[in-house]
Amino acid sequence: MHSAFTELSIVIVVATLIAMLMRFLRQPLIIGHIITGILVGPTVLNLVHSVETIEVFANFGIALLLFIVGLGLNPKEIKEVGKVSIITGLGQVIFTSFIGFLIVIALGYSQTEAIYISIALTFSSTIIILKLLTDKKEHNKLFGRIAIGFLLVQDIIATFALLVASASGSGGLEVGDLVALALKGFGVVVGMVIVVKFILKPMTNFLSRSQEMLFLFAIAWGFGIAAITLEGGFSLEIGALFAGVALSTMPYAQEVSSRLRPLRDFFIVVFFVALGAQLDIFGIGPVFWQAIGLSAFVLIGNPIIVMVLMGLLSYTKKTSFKAGLTVAQISEFSLIFILLGLRNGHVSQSVVSLVTIVGIITIAISSYFIIYSDQLYDFIEKYLGIFERKKGLHFETNSKNAYQLVLFGYQKGGHEFLKVFKQLKKKYVIVDYDPDALDILDHHKAHYIYGDALDIELLEEIGLDKAKLIVSTISDYETNVFLLKLIEKINPGAVTIMHAETAVQAEDLYEIGASYVMMPHYIGSEKISSMIKKSDLKKSEFKQLKDKHISYLKEHYDWTFPE
């Protein structure tokens, strides 16, 4: 344990130094993490000996990344891109493996080795792509959702490929094994649906009362489902993604996602370091030029295959192009698959070296492709017309989180704003972390998110920079100052209505840039003063107002007034 802790600490220190260097050079940090892995791995400094411990940490990163992505995937959106994801995913695997097989045969490899290599070239790295897309905040765009869909299809195919390869080394695979695997998968999905619907939804109030409890529950659920699917014969990635999707419709999904991100970022660094440590860069000499040719096929051929398929399905050239770039590399599945072939005696060490260098080249270059995808598209747009139909195109729609009206806090007057929001018939969201408020909002069928107004990542998720009107009924002055300063920075054109308890607070908020500041004592006193003037000081004049007020309280607060 002492050795494992020391080694992991050294890895983190080296990763930090390399990351600082990459940041200074303005290069992707993901490349720096892989370089760190190569440096600390057996081929250079040989600092990592507790391989199993590092791999466990890396698996935590994989599970967290996929779980968080799943939290942002609403089942309705999955249905929207399901058809294109399945067709594109299957089509890309079929065409890449077929063309890759012909290329590898032409390079002089045996049929068995060609099968292994061509299959390895078909799988793209779900982990790397999701990390890059989430960093660019593009995983919720149309091409991002499609890419996540066909990467999931690839993962399912990869799971069966690994299963078949494992069985071929141990005597064969029976049909009964495949049926059992399918039944296990069906059982896990049905079990998750039952648990979410009949156990977790009724427990929403209980879980959301404590953010610490919610954080612990989320980790337990994500890791637990991932572990069940892993033990059932499926991949860790599939289980973690499904676990996130199962919770995506829950009111606290956004809060869970934002709370888990810092933990994810730490563990995902270890994953990329572990990936780099597996790469043997000193055995590539004899196969270097072959690796260059196959890398070119993956970097150029795979995106073209995806663009052709998506073009036939009537997607725009930009959507097809950006989705195609996500398959311009091979994955960790490819390396595992080839190492399994080596263990079974089906491929030689030179094949492992070949696939390894293809992995290094394609992962590095495709990272730049995705990071600079918009600039790359602008540069070659005029040549991409052949991949686009002229009629019936599927265009990118607004982000699911592009709310025009945002309300922070509900209990202190928020119900009036909710009424106005519904009358305006514009897309709105209410942000609150009070479970009682959420129960009321759920009763009124209002759209809300469980979360804290000080959570910067949550504010990014709800698209605060696109909102037209932002209202805060929160009484905490510091929170309102934080919100207002952020809005003035990212969305100065928005109308902002803030809450203040004192005249001094109101003055400060106006100076920062508030469009209007509510002072409940002022507003309430002004309204009552006006009523006193009209009443002629007759008590009977107040009865109508009293009855109206009691009715209002009963409707909005479940308030019981003694008869």
Side-chain angles (χ1 to χ4, degrees), residues 282-303:
F282 292 123
I284 63 175
V287 296
F288 180 76
W289 291 110
Q290 294 178 353
I292 294 295
L294 291 177
S295 296
F297 168 63
V298 172
L299 289 165
I300 300 173
N302 277 0

Side-chain angles (χ1 to χ4, degrees), residues 24-166:
F24 176 75
L25 297 175
R26 297 186 178 181
Q27 302 303 308
L29 293 186
I30 189 173
I31 303 299
H33 301 331
I34 295 173
I35 292 173
T36 298
I38 295 173
L39 290 176
V40 303
T43 58
V44 184
L45 300 177
N46 195 27
L47 298 177
V48 177
H49 302 284
S50 304
V51 178
E52 291 185 0
T53 302
I54 300 296
E55 288 182 352
V56 168
F57 275 75
N59 285 335
F60 283 148
I62 294 171
L64 284 169
L65 177 62
L66 271 295
F67 180 56
I68 290 172
V69 168
L71 286 170
L73 290 178
N74 191 292
K76 292 181 180 178
E77 293 178 353
I78 295 176
K79 183 179 179 180
E80 176 191 344
V81 299
K83 178 181 176 181
V84 62
S85 295
I86 292 173
I87 293 175
T88 307
L90 288 174
Q92 184 265 318
V93 167
I94 292 170
F95 284 110
T96 298
S97 57
F98 176 71
I99 299 172
F101 177 82
L102 297 179
I103 294 173
V104 175
I105 286 290
L107 293 175
Y109 289 90
S110 68
Q111 287 190 2
T112 301
E113 289 178 327
I115 290 172
Y116 270 91
I117 296 171
S118 60
I119 292 176
L121 297 180
T122 64
F123 304 136
S124 305
S125 179
T126 303
I127 312 303
I128 293 175
I129 298 308
L130 290 183
K131 180 67 169 68
L132 292 169
L133 290 182
T134 51
D135 285 348
K136 290 187 68 180
K137 298 179 176 59
E138 292 187 331
H139 58 290
N140 281 325
K141 290 190 175 181
L142 178 60
F143 87 89
R145 299 199 304 273
I146 293 172
I148 291 171
F150 62 62
L151 287 171
L152 178 59
V153 171
Q154 283 190 3
D155 285 346
I156 294 173
I157 295 172
T159 299
F160 280 97
L162 291 173
L163 184 66
V164 172
S166 299

